[in-house]
């Protein structure tokens, strides 16, 4: 309690003091550009994915514009050592996504390289995915995939630097006949997501859908 008085939680946009369970104040929340995607329908993200790999459904929570509040939110999750941001984002997602057409069989997250995991101290996607898994009663497996190469963070690269890397990911276990929901933070060129998707799709009968926190324009 004493620490909360000395270091109160503040809105990451305007610095207004807010509840410890919040990320932005009520006024700044209105600035967030939510996509209003429907998981079971066509949308911008699904169209972009179709150019790269066969996909069932896709959902992005926010748009990731330059100098936007959504960018601050994602960077706070990834680089601000604020793992609890994942809980807030999961709650926003639960309010906006519906699996009416078909519930995926499994949730998995795009893995960090072990070196990056040690540097960051946590995978920013795990708490987010765990809460969605519990809420929608979809099993999740954070160990399904491994990242084979250590790479500079995508969010800190220019678009021209983000190129496809073969064999970037591998499966730790064989799965077949599963509809897998792949979760990542930001979809930019789609190279990372495509690498993950094809690794899953190469096994017989697998299908993929994707969920990302933000869609970079």
């Amino acid at each position: 309690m004493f620490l909360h008085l000395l270091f109160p939680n503040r809105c990451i946009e305007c610095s207004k003091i807010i509840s410890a369970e919040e990320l932005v104040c009520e006024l700044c929340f209105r600035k967030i550009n939510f996509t209003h995607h429907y998981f079971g329908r066509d949308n911008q993200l699904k169209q972009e994915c179709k150019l790269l790999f066969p996909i069932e459904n896709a959902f992005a929570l926010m748009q990731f514009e330059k100098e936007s509040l959504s960018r601050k939110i994602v960077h706070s999750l990834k680089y601000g050592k604020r793992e609890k941001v994942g809980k807030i984002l999961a709650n926003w997602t639960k309010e906006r996504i519906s699996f009416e057409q078909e519930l995926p069989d499994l949730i998995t997250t795009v893995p960090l390289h072990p070196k990056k995991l040690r540097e960051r101290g946590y995978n920013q996607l795990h708490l987010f995915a765990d809460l969605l898994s519990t809420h929608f009663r979809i099993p999740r497996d954070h160990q399904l995939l491994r990242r084979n190469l250590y790479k500079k963070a995508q969010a800190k690269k220019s678009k021209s630097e983000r190129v496809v890397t073969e064999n970037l990911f591998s499966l730790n276990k064989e799965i077949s006949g599963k509809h897998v929901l792949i979760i990542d933070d930001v979809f930019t060129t789609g190279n990372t997501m495509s690498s993950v998707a094809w690794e899953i799709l190469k096994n017989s009968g697998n299908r993929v859908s994707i969920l990302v926190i933000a869609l970079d324009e």
Side-chain angles (χ1 to χ4, degrees):
M1 177 67 72
F2 186 66
L3 286 177
H4 287 312
L5 292 175
L6 285 177
F7 306 103
N9 188 39
R10 294 182 180 273
C11 171
I12 65 171
E13 176 73 356
C14 71
S15 297
K16 178 182 178 181
I17 295 176
I18 55 178
S19 162
E21 299 303 314
E22 295 176 323
L23 184 62
V24 295
C25 69
E26 184 177 348
L27 287 177
C28 291
F29 181 80
R30 299 173 187 174
K31 298 180 182 180
I32 301 173
N33 188 4
F34 291 107
T35 64
H36 305 293
H37 283 174
Y38 288 93
F39 184 75
R41 303 181 192 174
D42 212 10
N43 55 55
Q44 179 188 350
L45 178 58
K46 185 174 180 178
Q47 286 296 325
E48 293 189 25
C49 290
K50 282 181 177 179
L51 300 175
L52 301 171
F53 55 88
I55 185 166
E56 298 296 313
N57 295 299
F59 175 90
L61 178 64
M62 305 178 292
Q63 295 288 351
F64 195 64
E65 305 100 330
K66 185 177 181 181
E67 305 302 328
S68 66
L69 178 52
S70 60
R71 185 175 291 264
K72 289 183 181 179
I73 291 170
V74 172
H75 282 196
S76 178
L77 173 67
K78 294 183 70 170
Y79 310 117
K81 298 189 182 299
R82 299 182 66 181
E83 189 176 8
K84 73 172 186 178
V85 175
K87 178 180 179 180
I88 296 169
L89 291 169
N91 288 333
W92 293 352
T93 302
K94 288 187 298 185
E95 295 169 356
R96 291 167 174 81
I97 193 171
S98 171
F99 297 105
E100 291 179 357
Q101 291 191 343
E102 179 186 1
L103 202 67
D105 299 312
L106 181 69
I107 288 175
T108 193
T109 49
V110 174
L112 296 175
H113 188 274
K115 180 180 178 181
K116 178 61 66 66
L117 185 59
R118 289 194 298 270
E119 291 172 355
R120 190 170 293 173
Y122 64 96
N123 185 314
Q124 72 276 7
L125 299 173
H126 284 183
L127 179 58
F128 176 81
D130 289 349
L131 292 171
L132 294 181
S133 169
T134 299
H135 180 77
F136 291 108
R137 299 181 180 179
I138 305 171
R140 58 103 177 94
D141 187 348
H142 297 314
Q143 307 305 318
L144 178 64
L145 295 141
R146 65 178 178 273
R147 187 185 289 260
N148 299 319
L149 302 174
Y150 180 81
K151 296 180 66 182
K152 180 180 176 182
Q154 290 287 322
K156 295 185 177 180
K157 293 181 180 181
S158 67
K159 285 195 176 183
S160 62
E161 291 181 289
R162 298 168 188 171
V163 297
V164 176
T165 302
E166 292 183 1
N167 303 317
L168 180 57
F169 299 96
S170 299
L171 284 174
N172 281 323
K173 59 192 77 172
E174 295 299 311
I175 60 169
S176 61
K178 298 293 185 181
H179 179 189
V180 181
L181 178 64
I182 309 167
I183 292 180
D184 201 5
D185 41 41
V186 181
F187 185 100
T188 305
T189 64
N191 290 333
T192 297
M193 187 62 75
S194 181
S195 296
V196 172
W198 280 114
E199 189 63 27
I200 294 171
L201 289 168
K202 72 181 185 182
N203 281 13
S204 174
N206 287 335
R207 297 176 294 139
V208 299
S209 291
I210 74 167
L211 188 163
V212 297
I213 294 169
L215 172 61
D216 199 350
E217 295 183 329

